[in-house]
Amino acid sequence: MKFALTCDVKSSIQLADEVVVKHGDREYSFIPDSTNTLHRVKVGADVDRPERFTFSSLQHPTFGPTIAMGSDSEIYEALTHELQELESLLAFSYNLNRIYWEHPREERIAERPEERGFEFHLVPELKEARVPITEGELTSLLNNKELLSPLTVVKSFWREARNSYNASRYISAFVNSFFILEGLYANGKYGKKEVCRQFLAYQPFVESITRLFAMVQQECPAHLDNLSKVRERGGKTLDVEEFTTLLVETRADLSHFIFRDLSKRARLFEESYWSISFLCLRLATILIEHESDLLFQKREILRDSTT
């Protein structure tokens, strides 16, 4: 017997036909709709104890005749976790907004005659660039899933930041992006000076800001101009150190906002955070790619040491 969860997907990923990938004891199905846009994702697994999925009828004191459906909480939670990891992977690498793993369709698929009584399908009530994806890329993504699993939570914050930014919720986009930087490099520090010190002590962080400035200067220099004017009003120049300070100060201002403080209240317009959220999200993207590269490098070093 197999048990599967199927979830609706919000994405702009282009997929010509349904792709089925077997990875270990899991089977993943990526299902497009009539416009060849990824529409559903299904993940299934073999059931060791099908007897847990039996049905029984009972007389409920309030609702009357009721069917009680058995289940296996361990496999349900395991497949839900698979969907969450897949959501983070596809959101970061491709244009996926989210997998609605909170409201899955359950399928109990009989493989032997004695399991037919357990078979059941349970269905719950419930303009971006299109990014193509191939079967080979999906297979590669799943092959690297375990390696990249330490970044699952980080990429979840990235997904929320990206979705907020696209919805013009720039404050939320900034906060979620900053959580990524803080979680990776603040080393448990929370004071503004301590966080800045931790960030700037990590050379790849400094190099990533330099790279960020060069990229933004080429693509949309208006964002750098906006932030430069903010620092110039305080008699400062926007460099790596000042940009780091601006990130930390912005996060602190948002964390300690007091509604009666009219000077801060006036700054709490989403548009005021457009440029800082744009740069913070791009910096988070660069650093997640850096952390991914480190994981791949560690794997290669381990392989070389065992040969």
Side-chain angles (χ1 to χ4, degrees):
M1 178 181 176
K2 290 184 181 295
F3 180 73
L5 297 179
T6 302
C7 297
D8 290 336
V9 171
K10 183 179 180 183
S11 82
S12 298
I13 296 175
Q14 294 292 279
L15 190 63
D17 297 296
E18 179 177 351
V19 172
V20 178
V21 180
K22 292 186 177 181
H23 182 74
D25 63 344
R26 302 286 194 256
E27 184 174 285
Y28 298 81
S29 298
F30 302 88
I31 306 163
D33 61 14
S34 59
T35 66
N36 293 333
T37 301
L38 182 63
H39 179 57
R40 288 195 180 101
V41 171
K42 174 180 174 181
V43 56
D46 293 324
V47 174
D48 293 329
R49 300 183 63 183
E51 66 274 8
R52 292 184 175 181
F53 292 84
T54 54
F55 298 95
S56 61
S57 61
L58 53 87
Q59 186 70 24
H60 193 278
T62 303
F63 303 112
T66 306
I67 295 177
M69 294 181 295
S71 187
D72 186 328
S73 60
E74 291 181 5
I75 192 170
Y76 187 97
E77 291 174 4
L79 294 185
T80 300
H81 181 68
E82 295 277 347
L83 289 163
Q84 291 169 340
E85 286 193 326
L86 188 60
E87 180 182 55
S88 294
L89 286 167
L90 287 171
F92 184 73
S93 301
Y94 299 91
N95 205 354
L96 179 127
N97 294 94
R98 68 171 306 175
I99 294 174
Y100 294 96
W101 47 263
E102 307 97 322
H103 308 290
R105 297 169 176 82
E106 296 182 27
E107 295 183 48
R108 300 130 188 252
I109 306 159
E111 296 183 298
R112 297 192 296 270
E114 63 270 22
E115 296 172 350
R116 287 174 184 167
F118 308 148
E119 190 166 21
F120 193 78
H121 291 217
L122 179 64
V123 181
E125 296 289 333
L126 201 137
K127 187 176 178 181
E128 295 177 2
R130 295 182 178 272
V131 180
I133 191 168
T134 65
E135 180 176 354
E137 289 170 327
L138 286 168
T139 302
S140 176
L141 204 67
L142 292 171
N143 287 337
N144 292 318
K145 180 170 67 67
E146 184 177 351
L147 175 70
L148 297 172
S149 63
L151 297 176
T152 295
V153 174
V154 168
K155 289 180 180 178
S156 295
F157 280 113
W158 185 93
R159 183 192 71 244
E160 292 302 317
R162 191 273 314 271
N163 290 346
S164 295
Y165 184 87
N166 289 344
S168 300
R169 299 195 305 271
Y170 301 121
I171 293 173
S172 176
F174 170 80
V175 171
N176 279 287
S177 298
F178 188 86
F179 281 157
I180 296 170
L181 309 182
E182 186 178 52
L184 289 174
Y185 306 117
N187 296 315
K189 306 296 183 182
Y190 295 101
K192 289 191 288 186
K193 290 183 180 179
E194 290 84 356
V195 172
C196 284
R197 192 177 298 115
Q198 293 295 322
F199 283 172
L200 293 171
Y202 187 58
Q203 190 59 30
F205 186 94
V206 173
E207 293 170 355
S208 294
I209 294 178
T210 302
R211 179 183 166 195
L212 171 71
F213 282 1
M215 291 168 59
V216 175
Q217 189 62 48
Q218 285 286 109
E219 299 172 11
C220 40
H223 285 304
L224 280 177
D225 293 341
N226 290 339
L227 298 184
S228 293
K229 290 174 183 176
V230 171
R231 302 317 281 177
E232 286 170 3
R233 285 197 289 268
K236 299 174 181 177
T237 301
L238 187 69
D239 55 16
V240 170
E241 186 172 346
E242 280 302 316
F243 178 67
T244 303
T245 301
L246 179 60
L247 289 174
V248 175
E249 288 179 348
T250 301
R251 173 67 179 120
D253 285 347
L254 290 171
S255 297
H256 303 295
F257 170 71
I258 301 174
F259 187 76
R260 293 184 299 244
D261 187 337
L262 297 182
S263 64
K264 290 183 179 180
R265 182 182 175 188
R267 296 206 304 271
L268 276 180
F269 290 107
E270 296 286 351
E271 293 77 8
S272 302
Y273 294 85
W274 179 30
S275 293
I276 190 70
S277 68
F278 177 84
L279 269 76
C280 193
L281 178 55
R282 291 294 292 270
L283 178 60
T285 304
I286 293 170
L287 287 167
I288 291 174
E289 291 171 344
H290 166 72
E291 293 297 323
S292 298
D293 289 342
L294 290 180
L295 291 173
F296 282 110
Q297 290 171 17
K298 288 179 181 177
R299 183 173 68 178
E300 291 304 313
I301 291 172
L302 286 173
R303 284 178 176 174
D304 292 343
S305 65
T306 57
T307 57

